[in-house]
Amino acid sequence: MPASPSDLKQIGTIVKFESEFENWKSIVGNIFLIGLASVIVTIILVLSPSRPPTAEIFSGTFLFPVFLFIPLAAIFFAGNNVTSEFESKTGYIIFSNPVKRSVLIAGKFLASLLYVFWSIVIFYIGCVISTLYLYGTVPQSIFGSFALAFLYGCAVLGFVFLFGSVSGNGMVAGTLSFLILFLVMPLLQSFLVDMGHEPWYLLTHAAGSINAFGGTSMPGTTTIFGMKSYLELPNPILSAIVILIYFVILFGLSIFAFKRKDML
Amino acid sequence: MEVLTTENLTKKYGSLLALDNLNLRIRRGRCVGLLGPNGAGKSTTIKLLCGLIRPTRGRAYINGIDPASDPKSALNDVGCLIEVPIFYRNRTPLEILYYLGKLRGLKFPELRERAKECLELVRLSQWAKTKVRKFSLGMVQRLGIAQAILHDPSILILDEPALGLDPRGIRHVRDMTKELVRQGKTVLFSSHMLYETREICDTVALINKGRLLAYDRIENLEKIFNIRMVEIETVRPLSTLQLEKIRRLKPVRSLVTDGNGGNILKINFDGDRDTCAELHAELVGNIGAKIVSFKPSVGALEEVYLQLVEE
């Protein structure tokens, strides 16, 4: 009887299995769409009558769609990933193996994160190439922006994983995450801004730091679906901490919920 | 030594009491059949033992470890098959077995060999690289058995392993399970099929409405309920006179004829194994029956089952 491998090894096995070819079509499709999006954004910005005057503003504007595609990529991939064992009943097989549920969800999370990570990387590569081509330089702060975008991806996945672990339904997880990130939080943010209060603790506000880097981004770039945003730039350090806290709490809760969920 | 134990194991689904204070102790090397009607709590018991669901009250232990709190240690030496398993549809049996094998700590090339062996054993070798979505129910069930025995566990928990199989498949699973029992493995086997249970298991746990009604060796239960049955097949149907002679034999309580033209007799009698042997001698000697087969009948277990469930 072989001894069970370490948790870390098991996580590695799960990540590999979850990221393997089962989803390659959707991964390739997503990469293609993101690549296409970066080309379109470049064309729009280049053809725009008021072309951004500096590389910083160009990059900041270019990166605006990350607010859309990070949640979409996370919901698209992770929604089913976290709930598949419950929904398609494969849990009867996997849960009866000597694997801790926390290990299983960690593996699934990393596989989803890998997917989101590559989506972000592709878009940032698009941004770097366009900025370099048009301005001959790339702002240093783009690396900080990338780190924040990655962190934002983790936090968004946290929402999807939490709702998925509680409901056991991919559709519910995706819909709830979408509503929270595109409706509830932006509405709350808009309301608080109207009251003259900076909603620094809201994930969507903190995520505004992603394209408001270098202190040169245009005010209002975090506006989502026309909702009002805070006109001053969010503090990137504070934003990073807020996003990190969101991630830690959401992922911690999703592990708790995943461990307690009955495989009926 | 007890390898599977439940202590006051209780599970509620909302207001529905699925399992009520179940106490079971299964010793190493035993094959226990978990019997009961639909909704009796068989699958709930098995899911609790495999750590798929959490008990409302009480504990389940595998080798003294609670699978709900430490599944990694508890399930290391266990192979489970729960209901008709559902596999990752876009994967092949080999990929699935490699994945599960790696999670269990098997390494190549041993894993490759073992996966091959298991697929051969369940007759899926030629489908090893076919996607599971193309499989029939029976093939999926066989793959479920392959994954359960992949790591050669000493404990097997099988929930309706013959479900969805054709008669050949059922027989194959029965023979395979018998062989595993013969190798000294501990088997907990849930089934509706009394014949299969009688053939494979030495002990049965009868549950209904979440409560344990009886847990004993099949022989003991038959003794307790005073039900001993043999099924006898004769070359030709016996004459009325021969049947009357059998009915008049002292230990015989009842006699039923069955089969094509009545060449199968089911005799319910009082007594033990010696009485059974004497009955056999009497049939062959004084009554002159030409016997083709003489075996304990599943009817006895059925009687016990029905009496307990109806009570």
Side-chain angles (χ1 to χ4, degrees):
Chain A
M1 175 62 49
S4 286
S6 68
D7 289 352
L8 219 57
K9 264 196 167 170
Q10 284 184 326
I11 288 175
T13 305
I14 294 161
V15 172
K16 193 162 175 273
F17 185 77
E18 294 286 344
S19 350
E20 266 171 11
F21 78 120
E22 190 174 12
N23 299 301
W24 71 267
K25 277 184 191 165
S26 58
I27 291 169
V28 169
N30 197 43
I31 287 170
F32 173 75
L33 284 177
I34 292 163
L36 192 68
S38 47
V39 171
I40 292 169
V41 171
T42 311
I43 293 169
I44 289 170
L45 289 176
V46 168
L47 295 179
S48 160
S50 53
R51 190 166 130 184
T54 65
E56 280 83 2
I57 295 177
F58 176 84
S59 305
T61 315
F62 188 103
L63 291 174
F64 177 70
V66 293
F67 296 105
L68 192 68
F69 81 72
I70 290 180
L72 288 181
I75 289 165
F76 183 66
F77 186 79
N80 285 329
N81 194 6
V82 66
T83 59
S84 62
E85 312 292 359
F86 296 106
E87 274 185 297
S88 59
K89 305 279 181 195
T90 46
Y92 285 147
I93 293 295
I94 196 75
F95 294 149
S96 57
N97 274 277
V99 186
K100 291 177 192 161
R101 291 217 187 169
S102 50
V103 165
L104 200 62
I105 195 170
K108 284 174 174 284
F109 185 88
L110 286 176
S112 305
L113 190 58
L114 211 61
Y115 176 67
V116 172
F117 173 77
W118 282 116
S119 306
I120 297 171
V121 165
I122 290 162
F123 200 69
Y124 270 78
I125 288 174
C127 179
V128 167
I129 292 171
S130 301
T131 313
L132 207 60
Y133 176 73
L134 293 171
Y135 297 89
T137 177
V138 176
Q140 290 288 308
S141 39
I142 203 165
F143 298 106
S145 165
F146 176 79
L148 270 173
F150 179 69
L151 216 51
Y152 181 58
C154 292
V156 170
L157 280 175
F159 270 116
V160 183
F161 268 66
L162 176 60
F163 294 134
S165 301
V166 171
S167 68
N169 184 305
M171 185 70 90
V172 171
T175 309
L176 284 178
S177 307
F178 189 86
L179 287 176
I180 290 272
L181 293 164
F182 290 108
L183 196 69
V184 177
M185 281 198 176
L187 266 177
L188 204 59
Q189 191 176 328
S190 190
F191 174 74
L192 289 166
V193 168
D194 264 348
M195 305 281 287
H197 177 76
E198 186 192 356
W200 56 268
Y201 41 81
L202 284 180
L203 181 64
T204 43
H205 178 80
S209 292
I210 293 173
N211 69 337
F213 54 84
T216 53
S217 184
M218 290 177 290
T221 48
T222 59
T223 300
I224 294 169
F225 296 151
M227 284 172 198
K228 202 182 272 181
S229 181
Y230 201 69
L231 293 181
E232 284 186 27
L233 302 174
N235 178 335
I237 305 292
L238 178 66
S239 295
I241 294 168
V242 168
I243 297 172
L244 190 66
I245 289 171
Y246 266 93
F247 160 62
V248 170
I249 292 174
L250 291 169
F251 189 52
L253 286 173
S254 53
I255 292 176
F256 179 77
F258 195 78
K259 278 171 85 171
R260 297 193 68 82
K261 188 151 186 70
D262 280 350
M263 178 67 227
L264 296 173
Chain B
M1 187 201 166
E2 278 127 10
V3 289
L4 294 172
T5 313
T6 66
E7 282 176 3
N8 301 320
L9 197 62
T10 304
K11 180 68 184 175
K12 276 184 172 179
Y13 296 114
S15 59
L16 177 78
L17 184 63
L19 204 61
D20 187 9
N21 283 308
L22 182 75
N23 288 293
L24 266 183
R25 286 171 189 280
I26 300 174
R27 297 175 72 87
R28 186 170 293 284
R30 276 286 174 73
C31 180
V32 176
L34 198 55
L35 288 176
N38 287 335
K42 303 186 298 289
S43 288
T44 301
T45 307
I46 282 182
K47 285 177 186 173
L48 284 162
L49 275 166
C50 296
L52 296 185
I53 55 177
R54 299 174 73 85
T56 309
R57 205 172 49 244
R59 289 282 180 93
Y61 297 101
I62 298 175
N63 285 323
I65 307 164
D66 183 355
S69 54
D70 186 3
K72 193 167 178 178
S73 310
L75 297 170
N76 191 37
D77 193 17
V78 184
C80 304
L81 175 68
I82 295 153
E83 296 181 356
V84 177
I86 293 173
F87 289 99
Y88 307 95
R89 286 169 46 81
N90 290 324
R91 305 296 176 119
T92 67
L94 262 187
E95 286 165 351
I96 290 166
L97 293 184
Y98 287 169
Y99 175 48
L100 299 175
K102 279 186 207 163
L103 285 177
R104 285 193 171 272
L106 290 166
K107 290 181 182 122
F108 288 109
E110 186 204 349
L111 175 55
R112 190 178 298 115
E113 283 305 307
R114 188 66 196 144
K116 209 175 131 194
E117 259 175 53
C118 290
L119 288 176
E120 254 166 42
L121 204 66
V122 297
R123 298 177 186 150
L124 281 178
S125 293
Q126 57 175 321
W127 306 97
K129 291 179 180 172
T130 306
K131 288 196 169 129
V132 171
R133 65 165 183 256
K134 292 178 182 165
F135 280 20
S136 68
L137 192 68
M139 289 162 83
V140 171
Q141 187 75 335
R142 271 146 55 200
L143 180 56
I145 294 168
Q147 66 79 31
I149 58 172
L150 178 68
H151 51 296
D152 194 23
S154 70
I155 304 166
L156 280 155
I157 299 177
L158 309 171
D159 187 10
E160 305 272 3
L163 208 68
L165 299 180
D166 57 22
R168 189 163 153 258
I170 292 174
R171 187 174 173 170
H172 183 58
V173 168
R174 188 203 310 149
D175 292 344
M176 218 163 62
T177 316
K178 273 179 167 176
E179 175 58 24
L180 293 167
V181 175
R182 201 190 56 74
Q183 287 170 14
K185 298 195 188 296
T186 310
V187 179
L188 177 62
F189 176 94
S190 131
S191 179
H192 285 105
M193 298 177 178
L194 296 177
Y195 178 74
E196 299 302 316
T197 311
R198 185 77 174 82
E199 282 283 299
I200 297 168
C201 305
D202 49 26
T203 306
V204 289
L206 273 160
I207 57 173
N208 191 26
K209 292 177 184 166
R211 308 201 79 166
L212 183 67
L213 303 178
Y215 177 46
D216 210 333
R217 282 183 165 269
I218 295 173
E219 281 176 21
N220 291 346
L221 281 176
E222 289 170 354
K223 209 183 280 176
I224 291 164
F225 284 82
N226 206 12
I227 300 164
R228 266 196 174 273
M229 270 192 183
V230 281
E231 191 175 297
I232 303 151
E233 190 184 349
T234 54
V235 177
R236 277 179 293 278
L238 299 184
S239 67
T240 317
L241 188 65
Q242 282 174 309
L243 291 175
E244 201 47 45
K245 274 185 182 173
I246 296 170
R247 280 198 183 94
R248 275 196 227 123
L249 290 172
K250 202 181 163 194
V252 174
R253 293 173 66 195
S254 65
L255 165 68
V256 183
T257 55
D258 203 353
N260 191 14
N263 66 331
I264 291 173
L265 310 175
K266 284 180 182 167
I267 299 178
N268 181 0
F269 66 96
D270 288 327
D272 51 16
R273 291 164 66 86
D274 287 340
T275 319
C276 191
E278 284 161 18
L279 185 64
H280 179 266
E282 195 73 28
L283 286 167
V284 175
N286 290 340
I287 293 165
K290 286 190 174 173
I291 292 174
V292 177
S293 71
F294 185 98
K295 59 182 180 186
S297 166
V298 69
L301 183 59
E302 192 176 66
E303 280 298 317
V304 173
Y305 174 88
L306 290 174
Q307 277 191 30
L308 278 167
V309 169
E310 276 163 19
E311 268 172 27

